[in-house]
Amino acid sequence: MTLEDLYRLLRTSHVQAQGIVDTLDDPLVVLDHNLCVISANPAFFEHFRVERDSTLGLSLFALGNGQWDIPELQRLLGEVIPRAQAVIGFEVNHDFPSIGPRTVLVSARRLAHPDNNSTCLLVVFSDVTDARQASAETDILLAETRHRIQNLSAVVHALAYQTKVEGRSAQEYRDAFLGRLEAFFSAKDMINQSGAAGIELAALVDEALDSIDRNQIAITSGPSLRLESEQVRPLCMILHELTTNALKYGALSIPEGVVHLSWDSVGDASGRNIKLDWIETNGPAVRPPVSLGFGAGMIERSARSVGGKAELRFAPGGLNARIVLPITRDHAA
């Protein structure tokens, strides 16, 4: 082999090695024994948006605005050569001059050399900002999901344990429990679809009474009013309990019975309120119960949960219910 052949071989090997380094996506630099930059690949210049002239020949710790000038990192890099150690994943959180706040993992090893006596370091920088942010967002989503599942589980348990068992068949218990659960999920669907804008009271009433024979319900529409998201579920549960009671024992249990439903916006010293009236007529004779059952209790609790109130009156012709809910924002059209 001639000297020219040897030179050509060395140059070819160098070009290939340089091509491999330049192809790597991760930014990297080579440091001399004084920890000054000997070379850097294109990914380093592109990622950190720096120029070759402001990088090569300078100490790593003098680059940019001193983002790598960290005593602990200096100590670790200084021990790589004499102790044949490596730096793996040293985390740097910094507001970089051109790319803003980033999280970068720094790894360094002694540069491989045939005589195993190299005094140069290969330093690789892995930007994990986006990955960390995605992981944090996933953690938040999982935490929110767990929270929602726990809340849902609590609701299901409450409905199951508080639905009356005494004096009922298994089928009657099942129908009562599943009916309340369906009303709960229907309210959740409406909340999810409407979002922060809330939902029209008329739309909620129409959805809640969709299964009722329209010949047996007379709706007198009041003003256009929007419910807050937190008011949707309680009112859905209230209408479900009123409907279920009317179908079993009240006006909707016989063909002649009629339910009159109306609402209005009223004001008093404490502010404006939604007043919804449910009046049953032509139903079976009604007698006030000795004690309120779970349904009546749920109506009252649901109204109170959003700062409202429920008034139930057992008139001879059927149940009269007045539901009052506060209007917390001006949603009147």
Side-chain angles (χ1 to χ4, degrees):
M1 180 180 293
T2 65
L3 186 60
E4 184 178 351
D5 292 335
L6 179 59
Y7 173 78
R8 187 181 299 110
L9 178 62
L10 291 174
R11 179 167 179 77
T12 300
S13 299
H14 172 76
V15 170
Q16 289 177 340
Q18 188 64 48
I20 293 172
V21 171
D22 291 347
T23 304
L24 295 176
D25 292 330
D26 285 336
L28 61 85
V29 297
V30 177
L31 307 180
D32 63 16
H33 65 283
N34 291 320
L35 302 181
C36 292
V37 181
I38 301 174
S39 64
N41 69 341
F44 181 87
F45 300 118
E46 292 172 6
H47 186 82
F48 293 107
R49 298 178 188 175
V50 293
E51 302 295 332
R52 294 176 61 89
D53 293 343
S54 61
T55 302
L56 299 184
L58 297 179
S59 168
L60 174 68
F61 311 117
L63 298 182
N65 59 357
Q67 59 260 23
W68 316 113
D69 189 12
I70 303 170
E72 179 65 11
L73 180 59
Q74 290 192 41
R75 184 185 66 80
L76 291 173
L77 293 178
E79 293 179 350
V80 172
I81 298 299
R83 300 188 181 183
Q85 295 181 349
V87 176
I88 305 295
F90 182 87
E91 185 172 312
V92 176
N93 292 284
H94 189 77
D95 189 353
F96 290 83
S98 300
I99 60 176
R102 310 297 292 179
T103 298
V104 180
L105 300 183
V106 181
S107 298
R109 295 180 182 275
R110 184 169 64 178
L111 195 64
H113 196 271
D115 62 9
N116 199 29
N117 194 31
S118 174
T119 58
C120 295
L121 296 182
L122 177 64
V123 184
V124 180
F125 305 88
S126 300
D127 192 330
V128 296
T129 309
D130 295 340
R132 291 284 178 86
Q133 183 175 352
S135 178
E137 291 173 353
T138 300
D139 290 342
I140 293 173
L141 179 61
L142 290 175
E144 177 65 17
T145 301
R146 285 195 295 267
H147 177 68
R148 289 179 180 271
I149 290 175
Q150 289 172 352
N151 287 345
L152 177 59
S153 178
V155 169
V156 172
H157 278 78
L159 291 176
Y161 283 115
Q162 295 181 31
T163 298
K164 183 180 177 182
V165 177
E166 295 79 6
R168 283 183 169 179
S169 67
Q171 181 176 346
E172 289 173 333
Y173 173 84
R174 180 200 65 189
D175 292 344
F177 169 69
L178 291 180
R180 286 165 178 155
L181 193 62
E182 183 178 351
F184 173 81
F185 281 119
S186 176
K188 295 289 288 184
D189 288 342
M190 282 189 280
I191 293 171
N192 292 336
Q193 292 171 9
S194 63
I199 186 171
E200 281 280 348
L201 176 56
L204 183 145
V205 168
D206 189 63
E207 177 73 18
L209 303 180
D210 181 61
S211 61
I212 306 302
D213 183 351
R214 292 303 165 134
N215 293 321
Q216 286 192 271
I217 186 160
I219 299 178
T220 302
S221 299
S224 177
L225 296 171
R226 280 191 177 275
L227 296 166
E228 302 286 349
S229 296
E230 61 269 19
Q231 294 175 319
V232 173
R233 182 187 61 79
L235 189 53
C236 277
M237 301 304 290
I238 288 171
L239 291 175
H240 169 76
E241 294 301 325
L242 290 172
T243 302
T244 300
N245 182 76
L247 286 168
K248 287 185 176 181
Y249 315 110
L252 299 180
S253 66
I254 60 175
E256 297 82 10
V258 177
V259 171
H260 300 269
L261 180 65
S262 62
W263 66 84
D264 201 354
S265 172
V266 297
D268 56 26
S270 61
R272 296 175 63 235
N273 296 289
I274 298 171
K275 176 175 67 71
L276 185 144
D277 287 318
W278 171 285
I279 300 174
E280 299 181 25
T281 59
N282 299 332
V286 173
R287 289 182 299 174
V290 177
S291 61
L292 294 181
F294 175 67
M298 173 172 279
I299 291 173
E300 294 184 344
R301 287 193 299 272
S302 296
R304 288 198 305 268
S305 71
V306 287
K309 62 181 179 178
E311 301 172 359
L312 304 180
R313 186 169 65 87
F314 297 89
L319 173 67
N320 291 350
R322 171 164 290 179
I323 311 301
V324 178
L325 302 177
I327 300 177
T328 56
R329 290 189 295 182
D330 188 8
H331 283 318

